[in-house]
Amino acid sequence: MPKVIFLPHEDICPEGMEVEVAEGANLLESALEAGVDIDHACGGVGACTTCHVIVEEGFDSLNESSEQEDDMLDKAWGVTMNSRLSCQCRVGKENLTIEIPKYTLNHAKEEL
């Protein structure tokens, strides 16, 4: 099974995490199951950008992005050539290294 390495993120995953996931698994769902609480304001249907991640390694093993995903990514903070919406990613055969951006455009999230 491929491994997904989540790089440290100050709020979401301070020490980073490595998890094994099944090939074909949804990246967002796999993260949430592992306790990596990536924002997902739209419920994971690709209608926002809050689950934006940067795929540092293994990008080419993911399923191709759709035109709708690409259009949404145009609105995300800190987009790179290796950006994806984690809710739209299916894990391939290769290991992945994932960076969760420092900021997200989540207008629905309440700050305490």
Side-chain angles (χ1 to χ4, degrees):
M1 280 201 289
K3 292 180 184 174
V4 178
I5 300 164
F6 293 96
L7 297 175
H9 180 281
E10 185 177 325
D11 299 319
I12 296 172
C13 190
E15 300 193 13
M17 184 176 291
E18 183 176 308
V19 295
E20 286 190 359
V21 299
E23 184 180 337
N26 177 280
L27 182 58
L28 174 62
E29 292 172 6
S30 298
L32 296 173
E33 288 173 10
V36 180
D37 192 22
I38 296 174
D39 281 345
H40 52 288
C42 73
V45 298
C48 72
T49 63
T50 59
C51 72
H52 166 229
V53 296
I54 299 167
V55 184
E56 297 289 344
E57 293 181 21
F59 184 86
D60 291 336
S61 71
L62 298 172
N63 60 310
E64 286 192 38
S65 61
S66 67
E67 188 175 329
Q68 177 185 351
E69 179 184 354
D70 293 340
D71 288 346
M72 290 306 302
L73 279 169
D74 286 341
K75 302 171 187 174
W77 181 89
V79 173
T80 73
M81 293 298 293
N82 290 337
S83 288
R84 291 292 305 267
L85 299 180
S86 61
C87 70
Q88 300 301 299
C89 292
R90 296 284 171 191
V91 176
K93 295 178 187 228
E94 293 180 31
N95 294 341
L96 299 173
T97 301
I98 303 296
E99 177 184 352
I100 303 167
K102 184 173 182 175
Y103 299 107
T104 183
L105 300 176
N106 188 349
H107 301 292
K109 187 174 183 179
E110 293 182 30
E111 297 295 327
L112 298 176

XYZ file of all heavy atoms in Angstrom:
847
model
N 0.835 -1.183 0.000
C 0.000 0.000 0.000
C 0.880 1.247 0.000
O 1.902 1.276 0.665
C -0.891 0.030 1.251
C -2.107 -0.845 1.136
S -3.438 -0.398 2.274
C -2.767 -0.914 3.825
N 0.451 2.258 -0.741
C 1.224 3.497 -0.745
C 1.148 4.214 0.600
O 0.177 4.077 1.341
C 0.574 4.333 -1.847
C -0.690 3.674 -2.200
C -0.679 2.298 -1.652
N 2.194 4.966 0.884
C 2.236 5.782 2.100
C 1.970 7.235 1.727
O 2.408 7.698 0.683
C 3.600 5.686 2.774
C 3.894 4.341 3.351
C 5.255 4.323 3.996
C 5.560 2.914 4.488
N 6.921 2.798 4.999
N 1.263 7.923 2.616
C 1.067 9.357 2.460
C 1.758 10.014 3.646
O 1.457 9.714 4.804
C -0.431 9.733 2.432
C -0.587 11.243 2.312
C -1.143 9.035 1.280
N 2.708 10.870 3.334
C 3.443 11.601 4.361
C 2.902 13.030 4.381
O 2.983 13.735 3.369
C 4.947 11.612 4.064
C 5.471 10.179 4.024
C 5.700 12.466 5.081
C 6.829 10.034 3.383
N 2.319 13.410 5.502
C 1.845 14.778 5.682
C 2.962 15.538 6.392
O 3.360 15.168 7.501
C 0.561 14.805 6.509
C -0.608 14.175 5.807
C -0.948 12.851 6.045
C -1.355 14.901 4.890
C -2.030 12.265 5.395
C -2.426 14.324 4.228
C -2.758 13.000 4.483
N 3.471 16.559 5.747
C 4.525 17.376 6.351
C 3.948 18.158 7.530
O 2.739 18.425 7.578
C 5.108 18.322 5.308
C 5.799 17.645 4.125
C 6.233 18.680 3.095
C 6.980 16.806 4.584
N 4.784 18.522 8.483
C 4.286 19.262 9.652
C 3.556 20.550 9.254
O 3.986 21.265 8.348
C 5.554 19.577 10.440
C 6.514 18.510 10.051
C 6.216 18.231 8.602
N 2.450 20.791 9.906
C 1.654 22.018 9.760
C 1.364 22.512 11.162
O 0.885 21.742 12.012
C 0.360 21.731 9.013
C -0.509 22.929 8.812
N -1.303 23.440 9.798
C -0.704 23.701 7.720
C -1.958 24.488 9.333
N -1.615 24.672 8.070
N 1.645 23.753 11.417
C 1.568 24.328 12.765
C 0.276 24.004 13.509
O 0.294 23.658 14.686
C 1.737 25.842 12.645
C 1.802 26.559 13.962
C 2.033 28.047 13.779
O 2.756 28.447 12.845
O 1.469 28.816 14.571
N -0.857 24.075 12.835
C -2.144 23.880 13.506
C -2.767 22.507 13.272
O -3.366 21.933 14.163
C -3.145 24.947 13.039
C -2.683 26.348 13.367
O -2.155 26.551 14.475
O -2.833 27.233 12.505
N -2.633 21.993 12.074
C -3.367 20.781 11.693
C -2.628 19.499 12.054
O -3.228 18.521 12.479
C -3.694 20.821 10.186
C -4.628 22.001 9.906
C -4.317 19.519 9.718
C -4.871 22.263 8.441
N -1.317 19.515 11.889
C -0.526 18.303 12.078
C 0.885 18.702 12.504
O 1.828 18.567 11.725
C -0.521 17.527 10.761
S 0.157 15.892 10.821
N 1.043 19.212 13.734
C 2.310 19.833 14.151
C 3.554 18.963 13.987
O 4.630 19.484 13.720
C 2.080 20.169 15.622
C 0.614 20.203 15.804
C 0.047 19.261 14.786
N 3.426 17.681 14.144
C 4.598 16.817 14.049
C 4.662 16.040 12.745
O 5.535 15.196 12.564
C 4.617 15.870 15.245
C 4.686 16.659 16.545
C 5.012 15.812 17.739
O 5.421 14.652 17.576
O 4.849 16.332 18.847
N 3.720 16.324 11.842
C 3.656 15.552 10.611
C 3.079 14.170 10.893
O 2.872 13.801 12.051
N 2.826 13.433 9.838
C 2.260 12.100 10.014
C 2.501 11.283 8.754
O 2.541 11.827 7.653
C 0.763 12.189 10.295
C 0.129 10.839 10.586
S -1.620 10.961 11.020
C -1.509 11.750 12.610
N 2.650 9.997 8.939
C 2.796 9.065 7.824
C 1.738 7.990 7.983
O 1.628 7.384 9.051
C 4.189 8.446 7.833
C 4.464 7.533 6.683
C 5.892 7.011 6.689
O 6.826 7.838 6.775
O 6.056 5.775 6.623
N 0.947 7.773 6.933
C -0.106 6.760 6.987
C -0.077 5.920 5.717
O 0.302 6.405 4.655
C -1.514 7.390 7.169
C -1.629 8.096 8.502
C -1.851 8.335 6.044
N -0.471 4.680 5.845
C -0.637 3.817 4.687
C -2.089 3.908 4.253
O -2.998 3.884 5.090
C -0.283 2.367 5.019
C 1.189 2.124 5.149
C 1.539 0.645 5.236
O 0.635 -0.207 5.213
O 2.736 0.352 5.329
N -2.307 4.017 2.949
C -3.668 4.089 2.425
C -3.784 3.139 1.238
O -2.793 2.803 0.602
C -4.046 5.525 1.994
C -3.983 6.480 3.178
C -3.173 6.020 0.883
N -4.991 2.749 0.969
C -5.236 1.848 -0.156
C -5.126 2.614 -1.469
O -5.499 3.791 -1.544
C -6.616 1.225 -0.033
N -4.608 1.961 -2.476
C -4.590 2.556 -3.805
C -6.027 2.868 -4.211
O -6.932 2.067 -4.000
C -3.954 1.580 -4.796
C -3.805 2.142 -6.179
C -3.178 1.151 -7.136
O -2.474 0.221 -6.682
O -3.396 1.318 -8.344
N -6.256 4.048 -4.746
C -7.592 4.463 -5.147
C -8.359 5.199 -4.067
O -9.448 5.712 -4.302
N -7.779 5.274 -2.865
C -8.448 5.964 -1.755
C -8.490 7.465 -2.014
O -7.615 8.027 -2.656
C -7.717 5.687 -0.439
N -9.516 8.094 -1.485
C -9.650 9.548 -1.562
C -8.680 10.170 -0.563
O -8.653 9.779 0.601
C -11.099 9.934 -1.247
C -11.316 11.417 -1.242
O -10.999 12.093 -0.263
N -11.869 11.930 -2.319
N -7.890 11.147 -1.013
C -6.849 11.736 -0.164
C -7.440 12.466 1.039
O -6.952 12.302 2.159
C -5.964 12.668 -0.986
C -4.796 13.313 -0.248
C -3.864 12.265 0.362
C -4.035 14.229 -1.190
N -8.480 13.261 0.853
C -9.091 13.977 1.969
C -9.651 13.008 2.996
O -9.392 13.131 4.193
C -10.195 14.923 1.487
C -10.989 15.615 2.597
C -10.101 16.516 3.452
C -12.158 16.398 2.009
N -10.413 12.021 2.552
C -11.001 11.046 3.480
C -9.918 10.288 4.239
O -10.048 10.045 5.440
C -11.902 10.074 2.722
C -13.161 10.733 2.177
C -13.959 9.819 1.256
O -13.611 8.622 1.121
O -14.932 10.318 0.661
N -8.834 9.943 3.551
C -7.725 9.240 4.202
C -7.076 10.112 5.267
O -6.740 9.632 6.356
C -6.682 8.821 3.168
O -7.235 7.920 2.236
N -6.911 11.394 4.969
C -6.331 12.324 5.940
C -7.225 12.428 7.171
O -6.748 12.323 8.315
C -6.138 13.699 5.312
N -8.504 12.623 6.954
C -9.439 12.766 8.072
C -9.475 11.511 8.939
O -9.485 11.599 10.169
C -10.837 13.113 7.556
C -10.956 14.461 6.842
C -12.345 14.611 6.234
C -10.625 15.619 7.757
N -9.469 10.338 8.308
C -9.469 9.070 9.057
C -8.221 8.932 9.910
O -8.256 8.327 10.980
C -9.587 7.885 8.096
C -10.959 7.747 7.486
C -11.030 6.680 6.403
O -10.049 5.897 6.238
O -12.044 6.641 5.688
N -7.105 9.504 9.444
C -5.836 9.419 10.176
C -5.718 10.496 11.252
O -4.749 10.518 11.995
C -4.667 9.529 9.202
N -6.690 11.401 11.311
C -6.648 12.464 12.310
C -6.006 13.746 11.826
O -5.728 14.644 12.619
N -5.762 13.848 10.522
C -5.235 15.071 9.934
C -6.451 15.877 9.467
O -7.045 15.585 8.433
C -4.280 14.782 8.753
C -3.746 16.072 8.150
C -3.139 13.879 9.210
N -6.839 16.870 10.259
C -8.114 17.563 10.080
C -8.015 18.698 9.060
O -8.087 19.875 9.395
C -8.604 18.090 11.431
C -10.040 18.552 11.379
O -10.783 18.109 10.471
O -10.425 19.357 12.242
N -7.878 18.323 7.791
C -7.830 19.298 6.709
C -9.213 19.940 6.569
O -10.231 19.237 6.593
C -7.419 18.620 5.384
C -5.995 18.058 5.488
C -7.535 19.583 4.207
C -5.553 17.251 4.282
N -9.232 21.268 6.440
C -10.510 21.959 6.219
C -11.190 21.394 4.983
O -10.531 21.011 4.006
C -10.279 23.456 5.994
C -10.041 24.234 7.273
O -10.319 23.697 8.366
O -9.579 25.380 7.183
N -12.521 21.374 5.016
C -13.307 20.907 3.868
C -14.720 21.484 3.977
O -15.687 20.788 4.226
C -13.314 19.383 3.777
C -13.725 18.682 5.033
N -12.915 18.632 6.150
C -14.852 18.026 5.358
C -13.541 17.959 7.103
N -14.722 17.589 6.653
N -14.796 22.799 3.799
C -16.044 23.537 4.029
C -17.199 23.060 3.160
O -18.345 23.123 3.584
C -15.810 25.030 3.823
N -16.937 22.584 1.963
C -18.018 22.168 1.068
C -18.403 20.709 1.270
O -19.251 20.188 0.554
C -17.645 22.427 -0.390
S -16.406 21.309 -1.060
N -17.769 20.051 2.232
C -18.077 18.642 2.469
C -17.357 17.702 1.523
O -17.697 16.532 1.412
N -16.356 18.205 0.836
C -15.542 17.347 -0.026
C -16.113 17.111 -1.407
O -15.862 16.077 -2.011
N -16.869 18.073 -1.934
C -17.451 17.895 -3.262
C -16.771 18.754 -4.332
O -17.265 18.853 -5.448
C -18.983 18.158 -3.254
C -19.691 17.176 -2.349
C -19.294 19.590 -2.852
N -15.668 19.390 -3.994
C -14.924 20.167 -4.972
C -15.508 21.534 -5.273
O -15.233 22.105 -6.320
N -16.311 22.065 -4.354
C -16.976 23.346 -4.585
C -16.307 24.500 -3.834
O -16.843 25.600 -3.811
C -18.448 23.245 -4.194
N -15.180 24.252 -3.189
C -14.443 25.313 -2.511
C -12.959 24.984 -2.617
O -12.589 24.040 -3.300
C -14.887 25.461 -1.049
S -14.349 24.141 0.055
N -12.128 25.702 -1.922
C -10.681 25.446 -2.006
C -10.071 25.159 -0.640
O -8.857 25.147 -0.501
C -9.951 26.648 -2.621
O -10.125 27.784 -1.772
C -10.462 26.965 -4.008
N -10.886 24.906 0.359
C -10.359 24.782 1.716
C -9.530 23.527 1.932
O -8.743 23.476 2.868
C -11.488 24.844 2.759
O -12.413 23.791 2.513
C -12.206 26.185 2.711
N -9.651 22.534 1.078
C -8.854 21.310 1.229
C -7.635 21.298 0.309
O -7.030 20.257 0.081
C -9.716 20.073 1.012
S -10.206 19.808 -0.711
N -7.257 22.470 -0.189
C -6.102 22.609 -1.073
C -4.845 22.055 -0.405
O -4.566 22.364 0.749
C -5.932 24.097 -1.407
C -4.633 24.445 -2.023
N -3.864 25.496 -1.571
C -3.939 23.898 -3.052
C -2.772 25.591 -2.309
N -2.787 24.629 -3.204
N -4.115 21.226 -1.132
C -2.822 20.715 -0.671
C -1.810 20.847 -1.798
O -2.167 20.995 -2.966
C -2.900 19.230 -0.222
C -3.801 19.078 0.989
C -3.336 18.318 -1.358
N -0.548 20.789 -1.422
C 0.540 20.803 -2.395
C 1.205 19.430 -2.342
O 1.630 18.979 -1.275
C 1.546 21.922 -2.084
C 0.826 23.283 -2.146
C 2.726 21.872 -3.063
C 1.618 24.434 -1.569
N 1.262 18.768 -3.470
C 1.825 17.419 -3.554
C 3.307 17.555 -3.878
O 3.685 17.813 -5.020
C 1.086 16.576 -4.612
C 1.618 15.148 -4.614
C -0.421 16.603 -4.361
N 4.146 17.414 -2.857
C 5.597 17.593 -3.012
C 6.243 16.412 -3.732
O 7.217 16.589 -4.462
C 6.255 17.795 -1.646
C 5.800 19.045 -0.914
C 6.319 20.329 -1.528
O 7.269 20.289 -2.326
O 5.751 21.387 -1.210
N 5.720 15.216 -3.517
C 6.229 14.017 -4.192
C 5.064 13.109 -4.530
O 4.120 12.986 -3.751
C 7.211 13.259 -3.289
C 8.494 14.012 -3.029
C 9.469 13.231 -2.158
O 9.359 11.993 -2.061
O 10.347 13.878 -1.571
N 5.129 12.481 -5.706
C 4.103 11.535 -6.117
C 2.970 12.142 -6.919
O 1.981 11.470 -7.201
N 3.096 13.400 -7.327
C 2.028 14.113 -8.030
C 1.522 13.344 -9.250
O 0.317 13.244 -9.489
C 2.511 15.508 -8.434
C 1.460 16.359 -9.083
C 0.590 17.113 -8.315
C 1.348 16.418 -10.466
C -0.382 17.909 -8.905
C 0.380 17.210 -11.069
C -0.483 17.952 -10.286
N 2.439 12.804 -10.037
C 2.056 12.147 -11.290
C 1.302 10.842 -11.091
O 0.704 10.324 -12.036
C 3.288 11.901 -12.160
C 3.870 13.200 -12.702
O 3.130 14.193 -12.796
O 5.083 13.220 -13.014
N 1.303 10.301 -9.877
C 0.582 9.054 -9.627
C -0.897 9.283 -9.305
O -1.674 8.331 -9.260
C 1.244 8.266 -8.491
O 1.031 8.912 -7.248
N -1.277 10.541 -9.085
C -2.672 10.853 -8.776
C -3.519 10.839 -10.044
O -3.011 10.999 -11.155
C -2.776 12.241 -8.128
C -2.060 12.415 -6.791
C -2.071 13.879 -6.377
C -2.720 11.550 -5.725
N -4.830 10.686 -9.859
C -5.743 10.820 -10.983
C -5.632 12.242 -11.548
O -5.195 13.154 -10.862
C -7.180 10.529 -10.544
C -7.649 11.481 -9.443
O -6.967 11.671 -8.435
N -8.804 12.089 -9.629
N -6.027 12.426 -12.794
C -5.967 13.753 -13.396
C -7.019 14.660 -12.790
O -8.105 14.218 -12.417
C -6.192 13.655 -14.905
C -4.999 13.105 -15.643
C -5.123 13.291 -17.142
O -5.640 14.343 -17.582
O -4.717 12.373 -17.849
N -6.693 15.939 -12.711
C -7.662 16.904 -12.202
C -8.696 17.200 -13.280
O -8.406 17.138 -14.477
C -6.960 18.191 -11.768
O -6.306 18.781 -12.867
N -9.888 17.542 -12.831
C -10.959 17.905 -13.762
C -10.880 19.403 -14.054
O -10.195 20.156 -13.356
C -12.321 17.577 -13.150
O -12.558 18.428 -12.033
N -11.614 19.839 -15.051
C -11.675 21.262 -15.365
C -12.278 22.040 -14.194
O -11.821 23.140 -13.870
C -12.506 21.479 -16.633
C -12.468 22.897 -17.137
C -13.192 23.057 -18.463
O -13.213 22.110 -19.270
O -13.742 24.151 -18.684
N -13.284 21.451 -13.535
C -13.901 22.115 -12.376
C -12.876 22.293 -11.253
O -12.799 23.358 -10.638
C -15.088 21.314 -11.849
C -15.703 21.931 -10.613
C -16.807 21.073 -9.999
O -17.247 20.092 -10.580
N -17.238 21.448 -8.805
N -12.076 21.258 -10.979
C -11.050 21.376 -9.943
C -10.031 22.449 -10.302
O -9.664 23.277 -9.458
C -10.347 20.035 -9.719
C -9.268 20.117 -8.663
C -8.484 18.833 -8.470
O -8.831 17.796 -9.078
O -7.511 18.868 -7.692
N -9.591 22.461 -11.550
C -8.623 23.466 -11.985
C -9.184 24.880 -11.825
O -8.479 25.794 -11.400
C -8.207 23.222 -13.435
C -7.403 21.940 -13.606
O -6.837 21.440 -12.606
O -7.353 21.429 -14.742
N -10.452 25.042 -12.149
C -11.092 26.354 -11.998
C -11.150 26.767 -10.530
O -10.922 27.928 -10.200
C -12.504 26.347 -12.586
C -12.513 26.305 -14.104
O -11.458 26.554 -14.732
O -13.587 26.002 -14.673
N -11.448 25.828 -9.646
C -11.502 26.138 -8.218
C -10.108 26.485 -7.699
O -9.949 27.409 -6.907
C -12.085 24.975 -7.422
C -13.572 24.731 -7.630
S -14.626 26.178 -7.343
C -14.223 26.599 -5.675
N -9.103 25.762 -8.145
C -7.741 26.015 -7.677
C -7.263 27.417 -8.030
O -6.430 27.986 -7.323
C -6.766 24.969 -8.232
C -6.737 23.651 -7.477
C -5.960 22.611 -8.267
C -6.173 23.823 -6.087
N -7.814 27.981 -9.086
C -7.457 29.355 -9.451
C -7.802 30.333 -8.337
O -7.254 31.429 -8.278
C -8.181 29.785 -10.734
C -7.587 29.147 -11.979
O -6.435 28.674 -11.924
O -8.289 29.120 -13.002
N -8.696 29.934 -7.430
C -9.147 30.809 -6.349
C -8.449 30.528 -5.021
O -8.671 31.228 -4.047
C -10.658 30.638 -6.151
C -11.456 30.947 -7.392
C -12.907 30.559 -7.226
C -13.639 30.729 -8.548
N -14.998 30.251 -8.479
N -7.626 29.506 -4.970
C -6.987 29.096 -3.714
C -5.778 29.964 -3.390
O -5.130 30.520 -4.275
C -6.557 27.630 -3.792
N -5.456 30.031 -2.102
C -4.285 30.770 -1.641
C -3.041 29.912 -1.829
O -3.031 28.728 -1.491
C -4.451 31.115 -0.161
C -3.299 31.898 0.381
C -3.163 33.254 0.384
C -2.106 31.385 0.975
N -1.960 33.613 0.938
C -1.289 32.477 1.315
C -1.636 30.100 1.247
C -0.048 32.338 1.908
C -0.396 29.956 1.834
C 0.378 31.072 2.165
N -1.972 30.482 -2.364
C -0.682 29.794 -2.434
C -0.607 28.651 -3.418
O 0.137 27.693 -3.199
N -1.317 28.730 -4.521
C -1.337 27.656 -5.510
C 0.026 27.500 -6.169
O 0.712 28.485 -6.449
C -2.412 27.939 -6.584
C -2.356 26.933 -7.717
C -3.795 27.933 -5.959
N 0.405 26.252 -6.406
C 1.634 25.931 -7.132
C 1.279 24.998 -8.289
O 0.122 24.576 -8.434
C 2.665 25.231 -6.229
O 2.223 23.885 -5.976
C 2.873 25.972 -4.921
N 2.264 24.638 -9.068
C 2.045 23.690 -10.172
C 1.637 22.312 -9.654
O 1.069 21.524 -10.394
C 3.314 23.572 -11.025
C 3.663 24.841 -11.791
S 2.392 25.331 -12.981
C 2.496 24.006 -14.146
N 1.932 22.026 -8.398
C 1.600 20.721 -7.815
C 0.454 20.822 -6.814
O 0.358 20.009 -5.903
C 2.831 20.111 -7.152
C 3.859 19.684 -8.171
O 3.545 19.448 -9.336
N 5.093 19.591 -7.747
N -0.404 21.813 -6.974
C -1.562 21.965 -6.092
C -2.706 21.084 -6.562
O -2.916 20.890 -7.757
C -2.039 23.421 -6.088
O -1.148 24.243 -5.392
N -3.433 20.566 -5.587
C -4.659 19.800 -5.854
C -5.646 20.058 -4.729
O -5.275 20.475 -3.636
C -4.369 18.288 -5.885
C -3.547 17.779 -7.047
C -4.249 17.863 -8.398
N -5.531 17.203 -8.465
C -5.743 15.951 -8.867
N -4.729 15.208 -9.251
N -6.968 15.447 -8.905
N -6.920 19.800 -5.004
C -7.928 19.751 -3.959
C -7.917 18.312 -3.449
O -8.143 17.372 -4.215
C -9.310 20.119 -4.503
C -9.448 21.516 -5.078
C -10.880 21.734 -5.582
C -9.075 22.577 -4.056
N -7.631 18.141 -2.176
C -7.481 16.773 -1.658
C -8.765 15.960 -1.794
O -8.710 14.737 -1.914
C -6.994 16.796 -0.210
O -7.906 17.454 0.635
N -9.915 16.626 -1.828
C -11.181 15.903 -1.967
C -11.345 15.296 -3.353
O -12.179 14.399 -3.541
C -12.363 16.813 -1.635
S -12.683 18.115 -2.848
N -10.568 15.749 -4.309
C -10.683 15.260 -5.684
C -9.568 14.293 -6.059
O -9.561 13.760 -7.164
C -10.679 16.446 -6.652
C -11.821 17.417 -6.432
C -13.173 16.761 -6.582
O -13.514 16.237 -7.644
N -13.956 16.762 -5.510
N -8.635 14.031 -5.142
C -7.481 13.177 -5.423
C -7.756 11.725 -5.071
O -8.242 11.418 -3.981
C -6.267 13.618 -4.605
S -5.608 15.195 -5.079
N -7.368 10.857 -5.972
C -7.348 9.418 -5.718
C -5.889 8.989 -5.679
O -5.121 9.270 -6.598
C -8.088 8.646 -6.810
C -9.552 8.949 -6.876
C -10.272 8.263 -5.761
N -11.654 8.723 -5.687
C -12.445 8.447 -4.676
N -12.006 7.720 -3.665
N -13.665 8.889 -4.647
N -5.512 8.329 -4.599
C -4.127 7.897 -4.401
C -3.781 6.822 -5.425
O -4.554 5.887 -5.640
C -3.938 7.372 -2.958
C -2.532 6.837 -2.758
C -4.266 8.470 -1.952
N -2.615 6.986 -6.033
C -2.137 5.998 -6.995
C -1.233 4.977 -6.321
O -1.344 4.723 -5.125
N -0.294 4.432 -7.081
C 0.594 3.386 -6.572
C 1.797 3.944 -5.828
O 2.428 3.243 -5.061
C 1.089 2.518 -7.729
C -0.016 1.750 -8.407
C 0.509 0.943 -9.564
C -0.660 0.341 -10.309
N -0.529 -1.043 -10.591
N 2.140 5.209 -6.077
C 3.344 5.802 -5.483
C 3.054 6.433 -4.129
O 1.938 6.864 -3.855
C 3.901 6.884 -6.407
C 4.436 6.386 -7.714
C 4.970 7.510 -8.578
O 5.464 8.512 -8.013
O 4.880 7.393 -9.811
N 4.093 6.508 -3.318
C 3.997 7.248 -2.056
C 3.812 8.725 -2.360
O 4.263 9.209 -3.398
C 5.262 7.055 -1.220
C 5.436 5.628 -0.752
O 4.500 4.835 -0.729
N 6.649 5.289 -0.376
N 3.156 9.420 -1.447
C 2.908 10.853 -1.602
C 3.511 11.617 -0.437
O 3.492 11.131 0.698
C 1.405 11.145 -1.623
C 0.574 10.514 -2.719
C -0.903 10.788 -2.466
C 0.987 11.033 -4.079
N 4.000 12.785 -0.714
C 4.401 13.725 0.329
C 3.526 14.953 0.133
O 3.520 15.556 -0.943
C 5.886 14.089 0.238
O 6.660 12.890 0.364
C 6.281 15.061 1.337
N 2.784 15.309 1.182
C 1.759 16.345 1.110
C 2.086 17.498 2.042
O 2.355 17.295 3.230
C 0.373 15.768 1.498
C 0.001 14.576 0.609
C -0.693 16.855 1.491
C -0.181 14.910 -0.857
N 2.039 18.703 1.499
C 2.152 19.913 2.300
C 0.770 20.553 2.388
O 0.098 20.727 1.368
C 3.129 20.895 1.661
C 3.231 22.199 2.413
C 4.125 23.225 1.727
O 4.801 22.895 0.735
O 4.117 24.380 2.187
N 0.356 20.875 3.587
C -0.898 21.589 3.790
C -0.540 23.067 3.900
O 0.234 23.441 4.773
C -1.611 21.099 5.067
C -1.855 19.593 4.993
C -2.924 21.865 5.275
C -2.254 18.965 6.311
N -1.068 23.902 2.998
C -0.706 25.324 3.038
C -1.045 25.966 4.384
O -1.966 25.547 5.081
C -1.553 25.931 1.913
C -1.824 24.789 0.992
C -1.955 23.592 1.886
N -0.286 26.985 4.700
C -0.457 27.674 5.980
C -1.821 28.341 6.085
O -2.421 28.398 7.155
C 0.646 28.711 6.161
C 0.609 29.409 7.492
C 1.796 30.304 7.694
C 1.731 30.937 9.078
N 2.912 31.723 9.363
N -2.324 28.856 4.964
C -3.597 29.578 4.976
C -4.594 28.903 4.053
O -4.228 28.225 3.110
C -3.405 31.022 4.515
C -2.465 31.801 5.394
C -1.191 32.124 4.960
C -2.834 32.193 6.666
C -0.313 32.832 5.758
C -1.968 32.905 7.474
C -0.716 33.225 7.022
O 0.155 33.915 7.825
N -5.864 29.124 4.348
C -6.949 28.666 3.513
C -8.006 29.752 3.432
O -8.108 30.574 4.340
C -7.552 27.351 4.056
O -8.570 26.910 3.165
C -8.139 27.509 5.426
N -8.749 29.747 2.372
C -9.820 30.726 2.207
C -11.126 30.094 2.672
O -11.985 29.758 1.874
C -9.930 31.163 0.741
C -8.680 31.811 0.161
C -8.874 32.108 -1.318
C -8.352 33.094 0.913
N -11.262 29.909 3.973
C -12.462 29.301 4.544
C -13.270 30.387 5.227
O -13.055 30.716 6.383
C -12.087 28.194 5.528
C -13.301 27.419 6.002
O -14.430 27.829 5.758
N -13.064 26.313 6.663
N -14.220 30.933 4.497
C -15.054 32.010 5.035
C -16.092 31.490 6.019
O -16.696 32.270 6.738
C -15.749 32.751 3.877
C -14.772 33.333 2.914
N -13.937 34.371 3.230
C -14.474 33.003 1.642
C -13.168 34.673 2.195
N -13.468 33.844 1.216
N -16.311 30.185 6.052
C -17.328 29.620 6.938
C -16.762 29.213 8.297
O -17.504 28.948 9.221
C -17.956 28.392 6.275
N -15.438 29.148 8.410
C -14.814 28.684 9.645
C -14.852 29.760 10.712
O -14.506 30.910 10.466
C -13.357 28.297 9.373
C -12.666 27.650 10.552
C -11.293 27.181 10.145
C -10.612 26.474 11.284
N -9.301 26.004 10.898
N -15.287 29.378 11.893
C -15.317 30.314 13.017
C -14.024 30.219 13.783
O -13.589 29.142 14.151
C -16.490 29.991 13.929
C -17.841 30.230 13.305
C -18.967 29.941 14.262
O -18.770 30.105 15.473
O -20.031 29.550 13.796
N -13.406 31.341 14.031
C -12.189 31.384 14.837
C -12.568 31.614 16.290
O -13.423 32.438 16.587
C -11.273 32.504 14.356
C -10.775 32.319 12.938
C -9.875 31.122 12.745
O -9.126 30.771 13.688
O -9.909 30.519 11.671
N -11.937 30.905 17.180
C -12.221 31.064 18.612
C -11.270 32.036 19.244
O -10.186 32.213 18.907
C -12.129 29.706 19.312
C -13.129 28.671 18.811
C -12.870 27.348 19.521
C -14.540 29.116 19.053
